[in-house]
Amino acid sequence: MKTGHKIFLGLATAVTAAAVGSAIAKSNQAKNQERSVKSLVFEDAAKVLPLTVKKPVNFEKGLEESSKPFIFPEQVKKNMGFTEIDWFTDDTFVLEPKNKTSDCILFYIHGTDFWSNPTRFHYSFFKKLTNKLGAKLVLPVYPKAPAHTAVEIQKMLLDRYMYLIEENQIPADKIVFIGDGAGGGLVLSLLQKIKYQTLPMPKQAFLISPWLDVTNSDPKIAEIQPQDKLLNAEVLKEKGELYAGNLDLMHPAVSPIYGDLTGLCKITVFAGTREIFCADAYTLQEIADEYELDIDVNIYKNQMHFFVGLPIPEAEEALAIMASELYGVEECKSDCEEEAVAEDEEAIPDEAEPEQTEEVTAEPEAIEEAPAEEVKEEVTEVTEEKTEE
């Protein structure tokens, strides 16, 4: 054997051994932390993402961007099947499930810190969610801060909700509110506004990693912050202050956790212990226990922000809970839906991305339920997005 071939073979053997060693280490780490290897891989990938939520607030740039009208990426709309709802061609969209098995409407309020529009990652999750729950999804893309504030944003969302009820004749008890991050906070604020205005209350609400207190003053946040690889409490607080406009930061329309939470619909919450918003979830649980409210808070050990949107076992468990809450079933709707979602994600074009980020190549776990290459592809796909709140 030639010397060059020997060197190449030696290098290949060393790389393979290192990969196997890394996989075993990941498996052991995940076992010790009582989590899936996939969730660990995605968290490791998030550590190197250049997220805008970690950067100082650029008011001038934010004002310029939020003053522009929202333009839905045409290729995303075409490839994933989004359509406009009636004459709301610029801000409210509809996504039908592959197999419709429910007459519920998923009224989804997206996150991204009140400042940014949905990312490519969000669109993929919307598709997965509507297929899993077998229900139509309505997506109101609300105006953004700092050009627009809490009062304007919530007026738009409430107007769209009432339009479904009054113009489309959809019963309120067939509408389900879902929100992630900042969108979760908007859901809780809207529910209180609906109650005070004696408007029809929706069937139920799901809050995914919700941001419920823009003051970020809970002492538990400082304890969690070193473990949170996506969110920065100080940056978010500054964005939240500009979102509040003339309202006090503890006004329920800004930080809904300070409002009256009695008399609302059933609320189910999902949060991970490795995200700073888990502090809000703990507080919400305490309030629910004290006042015997119909609020279930599901805290997932060692999960990152918006883990429900990731292709990991813990997310599948959360989606199964959502299906069970809505329909009384324990399993998600179809065995073939995962394949459909994968096809949809691959079909999303690059132009849908708000900006490019560096590729992540975290070592996956070979012993986990999915093959190593599959996990690596998923990490690259998901972490190319700015998964900030």
Side-chain angles (χ1 to χ4, degrees), residues 65-94:
E65 291 299 318
S66 59
S67 298
K68 298 176 182 177
F70 173 71
I71 299 177
F72 202 110
E74 283 299 325
Q75 287 301 312
V76 174
K77 185 187 297 185
K78 176 181 177 181
N79 293 344
M80 300 192 70
F82 281 93
T83 58
E84 298 88 359
I85 180 169
D86 299 338
W87 59 77
F88 300 113
T89 58
D90 58 347
D91 61 23
T92 307
F93 306 90
V94 176

Side-chain angles (χ1 to χ4, degrees), residues 118-194:
T119 65
R120 191 174 94 176
F121 176 61
H122 276 103
Y123 295 127
S124 296
F125 178 63
F126 300 153
K127 190 68 173 179
K128 179 176 183 178
L129 185 66
T130 191
N131 281 336
K132 284 287 187 181
L133 300 181
K136 178 191 295 185
L137 183 145
V138 172
L139 174 67
V141 183
Y142 51 88
K144 300 301 185 295
H148 304 276
T149 59
V151 173
E152 301 170 77
I153 291 171
Q154 291 176 34
K155 181 181 185 304
M156 179 272 193
L157 292 170
L158 188 58
D159 286 348
R160 297 301 179 271
Y161 171 63
M162 292 308 300
Y163 180 85
L164 294 179
I165 295 172
E166 295 175 346
E167 302 299 327
N168 284 1
Q169 298 296 302
I170 298 172
D173 62 3
K174 295 295 183 182
I175 300 177
V176 178
F177 280 9
I178 306 179
D180 69 87
L186 282 167
V187 166
L188 194 57
S189 289
L190 283 177
L191 291 178
Q192 294 177 59
K193 190 179 294 290
I194 287 170

Side-chain angles (χ1 to χ4, degrees), residues 72-294:
F72 202 110
E74 283 299 325
Q75 287 301 312
V76 174
K77 185 187 297 185
K78 176 181 177 181
N79 293 344
M80 300 192 70
F82 281 93
T83 58
E84 298 88 359
I85 180 169
D86 299 338
W87 59 77
F88 300 113
T89 58
D90 58 347
D91 61 23
T92 307
F93 306 90
V94 176
L95 184 62
E96 297 281 355
K98 182 179 180 182
N99 297 304
K100 188 174 181 179
T101 57
S102 170
D103 57 357
C104 285
I105 301 293
L106 309 178
F107 191 83
Y108 197 103
I109 304 178
H110 71 88
T112 57
D113 61 31
F114 305 115
W115 282 50
S116 305
N117 291 315
T119 65
R120 191 174 94 176
F121 176 61
H122 276 103
Y123 295 127
S124 296
F125 178 63
F126 300 153
K127 190 68 173 179
K128 179 176 183 178
L129 185 66
T130 191
N131 281 336
K132 284 287 187 181
L133 300 181
K136 178 191 295 185
L137 183 145
V138 172
L139 174 67
V141 183
Y142 51 88
K144 300 301 185 295
H148 304 276
T149 59
V151 173
E152 301 170 77
I153 291 171
Q154 291 176 34
K155 181 181 185 304
M156 179 272 193
L157 292 170
L158 188 58
D159 286 348
R160 297 301 179 271
Y161 171 63
M162 292 308 300
Y163 180 85
L164 294 179
I165 295 172
E166 295 175 346
E167 302 299 327
N168 284 1
Q169 298 296 302
I170 298 172
D173 62 3
K174 295 295 183 182
I175 300 177
V176 178
F177 280 9
I178 306 179
D180 69 87
L186 282 167
V187 166
L188 194 57
S189 289
L190 283 177
L191 291 178
Q192 294 177 59
K193 190 179 294 290
I194 287 170
K195 179 184 69 172
Y196 288 128
Q197 295 185 12
T198 64
L199 299 173
M201 188 69 64
K203 172 184 176 67
Q204 189 166 352
F206 293 99
L207 312 184
I208 301 171
S209 297
W211 186 17
L212 306 178
D213 179 4
V214 302
T215 70
N216 288 346
S217 57
D218 192 314
K220 292 188 287 293
I221 288 179
E223 301 173 11
I224 301 172
Q225 182 67 87
Q227 303 177 66
D228 194 326
K229 309 307 176 184
L230 294 177
L231 308 175
N232 181 281
E234 291 302 316
V235 173
L236 284 171
K237 181 182 178 182
E238 187 173 351
K239 289 189 172 185
E241 290 172 348
L242 292 166
Y243 157 75
N246 295 325
L247 296 178
D248 187 90
L249 294 185
M250 296 177 69
H251 191 288
V254 179
S255 298
I257 204 159
Y258 296 110
D260 179 4
L261 303 182
T262 61
L264 307 181
C265 63
K266 171 67 181 294
I267 298 173
T268 303
V269 183
F270 302 95
T273 60
R274 298 173 77 87
E275 61 171 318
I276 58 174
F277 293 163
C278 192
D280 292 350
Y282 283 130
T283 301
L284 186 60
Q285 181 67 75
E286 293 170 0
I287 295 172
D289 291 342
E290 180 179 356
Y291 294 97
E292 299 182 349
L293 304 178
D294 196 4

Side-chain angles (χ1 to χ4, degrees), residues 296-316:
D296 289 338
V297 179
N298 300 276
I299 304 294
Y300 282 70
K301 187 175 181 180
N302 287 319
Q303 291 305 307
M304 63 191 288
H305 176 61
F306 200 17
F307 72 93
V308 178
L310 299 176
I312 60 176
E314 291 85 353
E316 293 304 315

